[in-house]
Amino acid sequence: PAELAAAKDAFYQEWLETRSVPLRPGAAGLVRWLVEENVPVGVVTGAPRDAIEKTLHDHGLLPHFAVLITRERVTRGKPAPDGYQIALRELGVSAAASAVSLEDTQDGTLAAKAAGMRSVAIPQPYTAGHDFSAADCVVPSLDAARPWLQALLREAA
């Protein structure tokens, strides 16, 4: 498994040299809206830091993210809450009071919930069969998550 993982990482790094990872539909608009609303935004991912930085840079979004928690920063990956706990601490945000995750996997949703956060599940085709029953809300797209987030912001105001 370790050899296979290393080969996958090497292939991915080579692939990134000439391409950008596409964003999910609605991602750029949602990030920009959150920033306009003065909501601190971060990433918690099992991906390598250089890949996330390149992706966000390629789409002009890197400056909008206050925190990037990648696999290099955690001992235990999702579904452990470690990445979210680090992000919350670095953002200076109380999980129970105001933090929300946007997740596309069961493990990500479980990690956010274990960290005490609310979680919006947005399944992708390859995660549609995951169990998202722990999520506070399941929506089909990032655009569909916005009304739920707007309601939370109104609640917090």
Side-chain angles (χ1 to χ4, degrees):
E3 266 184 57
L4 185 57
K8 176 193 68 97
D9 285 349
F11 175 80
Y12 186 54
Q13 291 303 320
E14 185 178 314
W15 186 89
L16 280 174
E17 289 175 15
T18 59
R19 298 168 186 87
S20 293
V21 174
L23 297 176
R24 287 188 68 175
L30 184 62
V31 168
R32 289 187 176 103
W33 171 73
L34 289 168
V35 170
E36 287 170 10
E37 295 291 323
N38 296 312
V39 174
V41 181
V43 169
V44 176
T45 180
R49 183 173 187 90
D50 56 348
I52 294 305
E53 285 181 343
K54 180 182 184 309
T55 298
L56 295 174
H57 176 269
D58 288 352
H59 295 284
L61 296 175
L62 186 58
H64 298 308
F65 286 83
V67 170
L68 298 177
I69 307 301
T70 59
R71 70 181 183 194
E72 296 89 354
R73 302 265 327 263
V74 297
T75 304
R76 300 179 306 158
K78 299 172 185 178
D82 304 21
Y84 279 117
Q85 290 168 337
I86 295 167
L88 292 167
R89 195 168 41 253
E90 291 185 6
L91 288 169
V93 173
S94 166
S98 58
V100 177
S101 75
L102 301 174
E103 275 292 347
D104 64 353
T105 67
Q106 177 180 340
D107 282 352
T109 300
L110 292 173
K113 297 305 289 182
M117 300 170 64
R118 294 178 190 159
S119 187
V120 177
I122 308 153
Q124 294 200 47
Y126 64 88
T127 63
H130 287 198
D131 177 3
F132 289 106
S133 60
D136 295 279
C137 176
V138 180
V139 294
S141 68
L142 287 166
D143 290 332
R146 191 182 293 208
W148 196 83
L149 296 170
Q150 287 171 323
L152 283 180
L153 287 174
R154 281 192 300 273
E155 222 177 83

